[in-house]
Amino acid sequence: MKLLRDVQRFQLDNGLTLLLKEVHSAPVISFWIWYRVGSRNEVPGITGVSHWVEHMQFKGSKRFPAGTYDRLFSHEGGVFNAMTWMDYTAFFETLPADKILLSLDVESDRMVNSLFDPEEVASERSVIISERSMYENQPPFLLSEEVQNLAIKAHPYHHEVIGWLSDLQTMTRDDLYNHYRRYYAPNNAVAVAVGDFQMGEMVAAIERYFGPLPAQPLPPQSVVQEPPQRGERRVTLRGAGQVVYVNLAFQAPPAKAEDYLPMVVLDGILSGAKSVGGQSVATGRSARIYRSLVSSGIAVEAGSWFTATLDPFLFFFSATVAPEHPAEEVENAFWREIDRMRNELVSLEELTKVLKQSKAQFIYSNESVTSQARWLGFSEVIASTEWFDSYLDRLAAVTAADVQRVAQTYLQREKCTVGYYLPERAQQEETDA
Amino acid sequence: MRESSLPSNRDIVRHEMDNGLVLLVRENHAAPTVVIEGAIAVGSVHEIMRNAGLAALTAQMLRRGTKNYTFEKLNETLEEVGASIEVSAGRRGTSLHGMALSEDVRLLLDLLAEVVQHPAFPPEQFHIVKQQILSQLREQMNDTRAMALLTLRTLLFPFGHPNARNILGDPKTVSQLRPLDVAQFYALNFTPHGAHLVIVGDVKAGEVIAMAEDAFGSWRGGEMTQPEMPELLRAKEIHRHRVVMPDKTQSDVILGWLGVRRLDQDWMAVNVANTLLGRFGMGGRLGNTVREKKGLAYYVYSSAEAGIDVGPWLAAAGVAPQNVRQTVKIMLAEIKRLQEEPVPGEELADSQAYITGTLPLQLETNHGVANVISNMEWYKLGLDYLLSYSDEVWQVTPADVQRVARKYLDPDVYVLATAGPVSRARR
């Protein structure tokens, strides 16, 4: 199955990469701009700056004052959003096909003209802090943040995308603006359009809006390499609630590494093939972790998680422990599954199932133009569109021996970070009429 | 959207089976997939109070093993072809969700029929599902957003009203449920009468109807009665309740009033007014003041839930504990403004354009289409409903918005639920 069929690639003189695909099943177009910047490019003191800059991109330019973007897009019946991750920052609008120039107009304008008005920075500071507070209210976030911090010491993947509270409190308008000026440039961006347009017209329109923006020198990429983990690391959090959570994390290969796809298969065998995005189905209930942890009644939810990244990140195991069961029991059950992966070859049936599930997930996720555009852009930024195109073929070539090899290489006890969340306090109530 | 591409009588095939089950099919050959959305007319409203949570537990148990399939075999059969079946309970209905590659549509229908008609309710699965629900309830009790919402419902609706309760039940009622309760609840309430299945995707209507006839033809059951609801009385004074959760970083605050039913005359005006108040753009007028101008919250929104029964019309935000009072004050001021000042025509048009304009995006996927058709069938809106939908949206006037804001919202009499830590400032 070739996923890149009908996708055309162009590059403007200023370095902006275009990935375009005509889809005429509905009169809509999804337009995305991806910047090669995220928490990976942050240094201590300004953690969270990439995400905050993304928020500021909705706070106005001279032509589009604060509050006008959402009004413009919503008025045209569009949906819009933005997302910041470790390796990228992305903005998109999906609009009725005849309104798409609005998206090109806004995105080209805010690539260079956002104001970062000090008053807007001040009001957004408390919004961002409130966003962090919302996450902190959730024990699973507290635990996974702690585990991530412990598992990654030196690389910027150490900190969460949202950033540290103290940095959010002290970062200045100029910190934000400098970050914006440094990374928001056509030669550091990818434009993706999928939908009901004619190729020639779309290229011309993008050229018209983005062509005049100048390329600029880009800062050198971070060269920080995470040192190898030399021993097991553990953390126990205590907090409110009545539910126990367990995490295990292992340093894992990046998207472009040879070991990446065997790890994807390993993840699929442990907890089902995941969607690359968009519409998906749950596939984990016939997989190993569910059977041994959830069906046995020791966890109410359990799974593994692995994602494509530019630099080595983590392979996660997580579980919500069933009432009356200790965290250790669930951790031990994870280790039994890990040991099985390391000691025995997986069956051909399991490999075949993961491949079939992955194919089905790809087909589901291609249903909407928004998710097609999303995965084109994501692949280009994380690896390459060829990586995306050959994904299923390369997945089919993964052998049982490959899966065993990566299990033995990455899932070692002395390379594990283990986290428990143990509850300790309850709440009180008050009423008045 | 071009009118011709809206799902309507022209391209939705509706077929009533002898047993009462209604099939609705819309072909879409854009991708080799199929989605099934179904509803059965049984929900938490059919439970007795003592058994709160039984409908949710029963819905989950349907999927946990049948006469011919153990839970493991059902999972294996579905997952090996990348298909899925989920069942979940609501207040008035139980929803069925199915998805598969279109080449597997017969398998999907057969397994759905198996799940709906021949559940075995194995006792060991009963124990596991019960533990999972109890665990979910415990997680809710440590979640400020969930606690504020649950609290709001108990303040707004009288004891015993289906909208007052947590669909999952509560730890006490769920703990005492037995396998026999599930089997009895199923036997009494699950019937093809009042149920429907919407099938959307790369299928031929005639073929898929024949398959569904094969799969569901033997399903038998009597007419369902929908219970009468206790009368709703509007509050005469402010009711507040605060759930103190000391370890939390921020508070969830929700203001609520009694809203409308989906079939009430006022529904469309309320829908438009609510969009303007707390949805359009980044959370409507509430988003504009609470988030954009004051920077008090990351999320702030309003919602006007409307079903067969009256739902809550609420305004909600997550804020720092010391900002709860200020946020409530601002929200109430926005409610008052909506009542007192006619909405400028341009602002109203923005919300109307948003509601009508996002329709094509909702209809882009098989899921979206199936959900819309399922709604049309559930509320008997007629299969041509979407053809007049835009007109109905655009007929709402500034006077209508003002009228429904005055009728349903009240800045002086409201229900206020908060959940979170006690403020560091005096509270």
Side-chain angles (χ1 to χ4, degrees):
Chain A
M1 185 165 34
K2 287 290 165 192
L3 305 162
L4 273 191
R5 214 173 41 194
D6 309 325
V7 176
Q8 292 200 35
R9 170 190 290 273
F10 302 90
Q11 191 162 42
L12 302 188
D13 291 341
N14 58 15
L16 181 67
T17 300
L18 317 185
L19 296 170
L20 311 177
K21 181 182 179 186
E22 291 185 27
V23 174
H24 299 287
S25 51
V28 295
I29 299 173
S30 189
F31 183 78
W32 290 65
I33 289 281
W34 295 75
Y35 294 100
R36 297 176 190 275
V37 60
S39 61
R40 177 177 176 269
N41 306 90
E42 295 170 356
V43 293
I46 57 162
T47 63
V49 66
S50 304
H51 171 250
W52 194 345
V53 164
E54 175 231 294
H55 276 229
M56 294 311 297
Q57 288 294 80
F58 291 88
K59 294 303 215 169
S61 67
K62 220 160 153 185
R63 277 189 60 218
F64 299 103
T68 50
Y69 301 113
D70 48 324
R71 189 179 161 263
L72 282 169
F73 292 131
S74 297
H75 182 88
E76 300 301 354
V79 295
F80 62 93
N81 212 337
M83 55 207 69
T84 308
W85 185 233
M86 302 186 298
D87 299 328
Y88 60 80
T89 308
F91 300 82
F92 80 92
E93 293 83 33
T94 302
L95 284 159
D98 56 347
K99 308 292 186 200
I100 199 64
L101 292 185
L102 176 64
S103 175
L104 273 57
D105 195 6
V106 164
E107 293 305 347
S108 58
D109 179 65
R110 68 179 167 186
M111 188 179 280
V112 291
N113 293 327
S114 291
L115 293 173
F116 287 68
D117 178 292
E119 272 180 37
E120 297 287 356
V121 169
S123 106
E124 204 59 19
R125 185 188 304 279
S126 47
V127 169
I128 301 256
I129 289 173
S130 168
E131 185 177 349
R132 186 171 169 100
S133 304
M134 173 183 78
Y135 300 140
E136 287 181 6
N137 268 11
Q138 305 292 333
F141 170 84
L142 295 175
L143 179 61
S144 72
E145 180 177 45
E146 210 62 45
V147 167
Q148 180 179 333
N149 300 158
L150 198 58
I152 309 263
K153 282 177 166 178
H155 190 279
Y157 288 165
H158 169 80
H159 67 269
E160 283 283 347
V161 171
I162 185 82
W164 294 114
L165 178 63
S166 64
D167 291 349
L168 303 180
Q169 286 165 336
T170 55
M171 222 181 299
T172 64
R173 183 262 174 199
D174 287 349
D175 290 331
L176 290 159
Y177 191 72
N178 292 338
H179 192 77
Y180 167 62
R181 295 307 304 154
R182 204 172 290 142
Y183 289 102
Y184 282 58
N187 47 325
N188 197 39
V190 179
V192 185
V194 175
D196 192 16
F197 56 79
Q198 301 299 323
M199 193 62 69
E201 288 175 19
M202 181 54 81
V203 175
I206 294 176
E207 172 83 58
R208 190 161 73 246
Y209 282 98
F210 290 89
L213 308 180
Q216 66 181 48
L218 297 174
Q221 290 288 302
S222 158
V223 288
V224 177
Q225 280 194 20
E226 183 64 23
Q229 186 166 336
R230 300 190 199 283
E232 186 191 270
R233 299 170 191 168
R234 271 184 188 269
V235 57
T236 300
L237 281 185
R238 289 175 201 278
Q242 303 175 54
V243 180
V244 175
Y245 302 93
V246 170
N247 277 187
L248 274 72
F250 299 85
Q251 293 178 8
K256 280 200 220 169
E258 199 186 322
D259 287 344
Y260 172 75
L261 279 169
M263 288 295 273
V264 169
V265 173
L266 183 144
D267 177 45
I269 287 170
L270 285 170
S271 64
K274 317 299 188 297
S275 169
V276 288
Q279 204 66 254
S280 69
V281 291
T283 55
R285 280 181 289 212
S286 65
R288 290 185 179 190
I289 288 179
Y290 190 94
R291 288 181 168 205
S292 64
L293 276 78
V294 183
S295 292
S296 70
I298 63 172
V300 293
E301 263 184 53
S304 57
W305 181 82
F306 181 51
T307 190
T309 48
L310 273 171
D311 297 328
F313 186 51
L314 298 171
F315 188 101
F316 272 100
F317 292 82
S318 66
T320 307
V321 180
E324 325 284 324
H325 288 269
E328 290 79 5
E329 189 182 356
V330 165
E331 187 196 339
N332 289 336
F334 274 132
W335 282 116
R336 274 197 300 280
E337 288 309 319
I338 291 167
D339 289 341
R340 228 178 115 197
M341 279 291 188
R342 293 168 50 88
N343 298 333
E344 298 166 24
L345 289 174
V346 298
S347 69
L348 188 61
E349 289 75 31
E350 283 176 299
L351 283 177
T352 312
K353 185 170 80 176
V354 167
L355 191 66
K356 272 193 195 164
Q357 290 176 345
S358 302
K359 279 184 184 160
Q361 300 281 32
F362 259 100
I363 294 171
Y364 298 139
S365 68
N366 263 317
E367 245 195 88
S368 80
V369 293
T370 307
S371 57
Q372 287 194 51
R374 175 181 184 147
W375 293 104
L376 272 177
F378 174 81
S379 310
E380 173 71 8
V381 170
I382 300 294
S384 68
T385 46
E386 290 69 32
W387 174 89
F388 180 65
D389 196 33
S390 61
Y391 188 93
L392 288 177
D393 290 340
R394 287 182 294 127
L395 202 68
V398 172
T399 64
D402 292 332
V403 176
Q404 186 175 29
R405 174 176 49 81
V406 295
Q408 289 171 351
T409 309
Y410 298 97
L411 306 185
Q412 298 180 22
R413 288 201 184 236
E414 57 276 21
K415 292 185 177 175
C416 183
T417 303
V418 183
Y420 290 176
Y421 180 93
L422 304 178
E424 65 177 5
R425 231 187 307 174
Q427 68 207 24
Q428 316 138 23
E429 305 214 356
E430 279 175 29
T431 310
D432 48 63
Chain B
M1 190 174 202
R2 291 185 282 267
E3 196 163 90
S4 59
S5 52
L6 291 169
S8 73
N9 241 331
R10 257 195 320 246
D11 55 10
I12 303 170
V13 179
R14 186 177 185 281
H15 172 80
E16 238 177 283
M17 290 175 46
D18 289 342
N19 60 10
L21 179 65
V22 174
L23 306 173
L24 299 117
V25 185
R26 187 178 193 250
E27 297 183 15
N28 169 21
H29 304 289
T33 63
V34 63
V35 159
I36 300 181
E37 287 292 321
I40 301 171
V42 52
S44 59
V45 63
H46 295 95
E47 306 160 345
I48 51 170
M49 283 294 287
R50 184 163 52 82
N51 286 346
L54 180 55
L57 182 60
T58 305
Q60 291 203 33
M61 283 303 295
L62 288 188
R63 176 69 180 71
R64 287 280 166 161
T66 68
K67 202 169 77 183
N68 299 304
Y69 289 81
T70 61
F71 179 53
E72 288 72 26
K73 191 173 156 204
L74 188 60
N75 292 335
E76 195 62 59
T77 310
L78 285 164
E79 293 186 0
E80 103 190 337
V81 296
S84 83
I85 288 177
E86 307 291 342
V87 187
S88 58
R91 295 174 199 282
R92 288 279 187 173
T94 292
S95 306
L96 309 170
H97 317 273
M99 189 161 170
L101 298 180
S102 42
E103 62 193 31
D104 298 314
V105 64
R106 181 183 289 274
L107 176 77
L108 188 65
L109 280 164
D110 287 348
L111 292 179
L112 255 180
E114 179 76 20
V115 157
V116 170
Q117 297 178 66
H118 307 296
F121 306 126
E124 72 282 1
Q125 290 295 330
F126 177 87
H127 176 74
I128 288 173
V129 171
K130 192 164 145 177
Q131 291 302 315
Q132 289 177 347
I133 292 175
L134 285 170
S135 190
Q136 263 177 286
L137 287 169
R138 289 175 182 175
E139 287 191 289
Q140 284 183 347
M141 287 168 71
N142 191 29
D143 180 333
T144 52
R145 213 165 174 172
M147 286 313 288
L149 268 171
L150 290 171
T151 303
L152 182 92
R153 287 184 176 279
T154 59
L155 294 175
L156 209 48
F157 296 96
F159 188 74
H161 191 278
N163 269 338
R165 76 178 77 146
N166 187 347
I167 290 181
L168 289 180
D170 66 63
K172 252 188 238 153
T173 59
V174 173
S175 298
Q176 56 80 41
L177 291 175
R178 302 155 305 161
L180 185 65
D181 297 319
V182 170
Q184 281 177 343
F185 188 76
Y186 172 80
L188 267 174
N189 298 307
F190 278 70
T191 157
H193 284 275
H196 68 256
L197 285 182
V198 182
I199 305 164
V200 179
D202 188 20
V203 293
K204 297 233 167 65
E207 286 175 20
V208 84
I209 286 171
M211 288 180 207
E213 279 277 6
D214 282 349
F216 289 90
S218 60
W219 190 13
R220 291 284 173 266
E223 302 272 342
M224 271 302 278
T225 48
Q226 291 288 341
E228 290 294 310
M229 286 306 114
E231 201 187 337
L232 293 176
L233 296 173
R234 280 174 199 283
K236 296 200 170 58
E237 56 191 343
I238 296 169
H239 290 269
R240 295 191 189 92
H241 185 89
R242 178 157 57 130
V243 181
V244 179
M245 302 167 76
D247 284 343
K248 297 300 176 186
T249 310
Q250 76 171 4
S251 301
D252 274 85
V253 45
I254 311 182
L255 282 163
W257 298 266
L258 292 175
V260 289
R261 296 179 187 85
R262 177 63 182 81
L263 292 176
D264 283 350
Q265 286 294 321
D266 284 338
W267 179 79
M268 182 57 87
V270 167
N271 181 30
V272 173
N274 180 62
T275 301
L276 195 141
L277 175 66
R279 284 192 57 211
F280 177 82
M282 300 231 219
R285 286 184 172 185
L286 295 174
N288 199 35
T289 46
V290 176
R291 174 174 164 150
E292 299 305 314
K293 291 211 176 92
K294 301 283 181 183
L296 289 170
Y298 173 64
Y299 60 87
V300 52
Y301 64 93
S302 67
S303 130
E305 181 188 308
I308 287 174
D309 304 294
V310 167
W313 192 351
L314 58 85
V319 298
Q322 66 273 18
N323 292 331
V324 167
R325 281 188 178 191
Q326 191 191 353
T327 305
V328 169
K329 225 169 117 181
I330 294 172
M331 286 177 163
L332 291 172
E334 285 298 345
I335 303 286
K336 199 163 181 178
R337 184 156 77 95
L338 202 60
Q339 291 183 328
E340 289 180 353
E341 300 168 20
V343 174
E346 201 190 342
E347 192 188 353
L348 178 59
D350 275 345
S351 283
Q352 289 166 312
Y354 173 72
I355 295 171
T356 56
T358 46
L359 191 60
L361 300 179
Q362 288 171 47
L363 297 173
E364 208 199 333
T365 61
N366 290 336
H367 253 285
V369 172
N371 279 324
V372 166
I373 296 175
S374 182
N375 248 320
M376 296 195 293
E377 181 65 24
W378 185 249
Y379 292 111
K380 306 276 179 280
L381 299 169
L383 296 182
D384 283 342
Y385 177 69
L386 291 182
L387 301 182
S388 57
Y389 181 76
S390 283
D391 290 343
E392 283 185 37
V393 174
W394 285 106
Q395 274 160 17
V396 174
T397 63
D400 290 329
V401 170
Q402 203 169 6
R403 179 178 56 77
V404 295
R406 286 178 177 165
K407 184 168 166 186
Y408 298 99
L409 307 174
D410 188 336
D412 298 316
V413 179
Y414 52 83
V415 152
L416 172 63
T418 53
V422 181
S423 166
R424 277 158 288 176
R426 190 188 61 84
R427 273 228 38 167

